[in-house]
């Protein structure tokens, strides 16, 4: 079963607090360009520009929003 997700366009910075891997570095700041909400309206994930220069969807728990 495929879950329906809703995309909300945003523009803010986040810091990656997850473990470092090829596409994201722990402690580095990235540009968040979208928030994703599940079918019940729960904030689920974000799209951010990673080390590849492209935007990909990541688990929101791996990031801290910068004010």
């Amino acid at each position: 079963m495929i879950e329906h997700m809703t995309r909300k366009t945003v523009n803010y910075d986040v810091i990656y607090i997850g473990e470092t891997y090829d596409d994201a570095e722990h402690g580095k700041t990235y540009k968040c360009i979208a928030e994703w909400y599940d079918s019940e309206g729960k904030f689920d994930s974000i799209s951010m520009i990673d080390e590849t220069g492209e935007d990909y969807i990541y688990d929101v728990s791996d990031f801290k929003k910068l004010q």
Side-chain angles (χ1 to χ4, degrees):
M1 181 172 144
I2 297 175
E3 183 177 7
H4 175 73
M5 300 287 284
T6 302
R7 182 183 193 272
K8 176 184 173 188
T9 300
V10 297
N11 182 19
Y12 58 81
D13 292 332
V14 292
I15 189 165
Y16 182 62
I17 57 174
E19 292 188 30
T20 296
Y21 64 102
D22 291 344
D23 296 337
E25 183 179 327
H26 180 84
K28 188 167 180 181
T29 301
Y30 295 93
K31 181 62 68 183
C32 179
I33 62 167
E35 295 175 345
W36 292 90
Y37 295 84
D38 68 16
S39 58
E40 296 176 358
K42 180 182 173 198
F43 185 28
D44 180 81
S45 50
I46 65 170
S47 290
M48 67 97 176
I49 308 295
D50 65 16
E51 295 296 321
T52 67
E54 300 291 327
D55 66 287
Y56 290 97
I57 297 175
Y58 290 88
D59 190 309
V60 69
S61 66
D62 287 335
F63 294 87
K64 179 180 174 185
K65 183 176 180 179
L66 298 177
Q67 299 299 339

